[in-house]
Amino acid sequence: MAIKLGFIGAGNMASAIIGGVVASKKFLGANIYVSNKSAGKVEKLAEKFGIQPASNKTVAETADVIFLCVKPNTYDAVIAEVKSVTTANKIVVAIAAGKTVQYLEAAFGGANAPKIVRAMPNTPSLVKQGMTAICPAQNVPQKDANLVLDIFAAIGQAEFLPEALFDAFTGVAGSSPAYAFMFVEAMADAGVAHGLPRDAAMRFSAQALLGAAQMVLSTGNHPGALKDGVCSPGGATIAAVAKLEEQGFRNAIIQGVNACVEKSIKMQGE
């Protein structure tokens, strides 16, 4: 029998996951149930992917794997609404920042509680280039954990990670697309200052960053070695690298990641 997926919340991340799994042909829209506070988003998903509109409770009652794609401050209310029908044979995947496995296990509670998996995807998942960290609770069978991993693999890369490292993951992968966007924007600004048209400067900068990242992943070489390969003796690139070092480029990035990790840890207590 086909596995049924359920999404409580139909925002960008839910839409990305649905689009990814349907495109992968591993799941049919007819086996995906979606609820949302406003009906408009669900209707659009139904038109595009053929999903089944439903209430929160119907999603939890019908689906085998239930994704909680709502704002963190609504988790208590949503869990209270669906808890009675979210039974031990189901998998609940939470993607909200700060909602730990311990919190989720306590919130669902009871002898008939579902299997809990915490996941943290990032926004490039919207273009199927995401990076997702996944942490199943101790009682989750490996086949169920692998099922969740495969679902997130439809929108990029996904790896199991101990929950103790989720805050570090937030700093390095969860929030870092924002740093990358700043880098692309700054590069484009510099290009415009030197006469490039804005749209061309943005395109050149983004493609260069994309290509550099792909080289790291494809070659397996250390980024420092790849950097050295671009820096000819006495050339323009090494002059740029020297100026970036003078301005504290790498230290600024490290300090930014540190600030992100510290805030992520603090948010769990708020």
Side-chain angles (χ1 to χ4, degrees):
M1 189 164 61
I3 294 170
K4 294 181 175 65
L5 304 184
F7 293 82
I8 297 178
N12 287 338
M13 197 56 67
S15 300
I17 298 168
I18 292 167
V21 298
V22 170
S24 73
K25 302 189 186 305
K26 293 181 179 179
F27 297 90
L28 297 174
N31 292 323
I32 300 174
Y33 295 78
V34 185
S35 64
N36 195 64
K37 200 170 182 180
S38 61
K41 289 183 177 180
V42 178
E43 289 171 1
K44 287 180 181 178
L45 289 172
E47 290 173 9
K48 190 172 184 180
F49 301 114
I51 59 91
Q52 307 296 313
S55 66
N56 289 353
K57 201 162 186 178
T58 300
V59 168
E61 202 166 20
T62 308
D64 302 298
V65 184
I66 304 154
F67 291 81
L68 297 181
C69 300
V70 295
K71 300 293 185 185
N73 62 353
T74 67
Y75 261 54
D76 288 345
V78 169
I79 291 172
E81 182 183 355
V82 304
K83 182 177 176 179
S84 64
V85 294
T86 311
T87 49
N89 61 322
K90 298 177 183 292
I91 304 168
V92 171
V93 182
I95 63 172
K99 296 302 181 184
T100 64
V101 169
Q102 183 180 17
Y103 158 81
L104 293 160
E105 288 182 323
F108 280 98
N112 206 27
K115 293 164 279 192
I116 300 296
V117 178
R118 184 180 176 192
M120 185 173 290
N122 63 5
T123 57
S125 298
L126 300 174
V127 292
K128 297 182 177 60
Q129 292 293 332
M131 184 68 242
T132 303
I134 296 170
C135 178
Q138 288 188 347
N139 69 333
V140 177
Q142 192 61 50
K143 66 179 181 61
D144 292 333
N146 288 340
L147 170 61
V148 175
L149 188 78
D150 287 344
I151 290 169
F152 280 103
I155 54 170
Q157 300 296 317
E159 294 186 18
F160 293 119
L161 190 71
E163 191 173 30
L165 296 177
F166 264 45
D167 296 309
F169 177 87
T170 298
V172 171
S175 298
S176 62
Y179 327 152
F181 297 144
M182 292 172 68
F183 180 82
V184 169
E185 183 184 29
M187 288 279 289
D189 284 346
V192 171
H194 287 279
L196 286 174
R198 170 67 63 179
D199 60 341
M202 203 75 74
R203 190 168 59 253
F204 298 161
S205 177
Q207 181 60 42
L209 187 61
L210 176 65
Q214 191 59 56
M215 284 183 71
V216 173
L217 295 174
S218 297
T219 66
N221 292 339
H222 191 284
L226 293 172
K227 177 263 294 176
D228 289 349
V230 189
C231 295
S232 302
T237 305
I238 192 62
V241 168
K243 181 59 70 173
L244 288 171
E245 291 286 20
E246 181 184 308
Q247 297 299 316
F249 180 67
R250 284 194 286 186
N251 185 59
I253 295 168
I254 292 168
Q255 293 306 316
V257 172
N258 290 347
C260 183
V261 173
E262 290 166 8
K263 179 62 175 178
S264 180
I265 293 170
K266 185 179 177 182
M267 285 171 64
Q268 293 185 38
E270 293 177 351

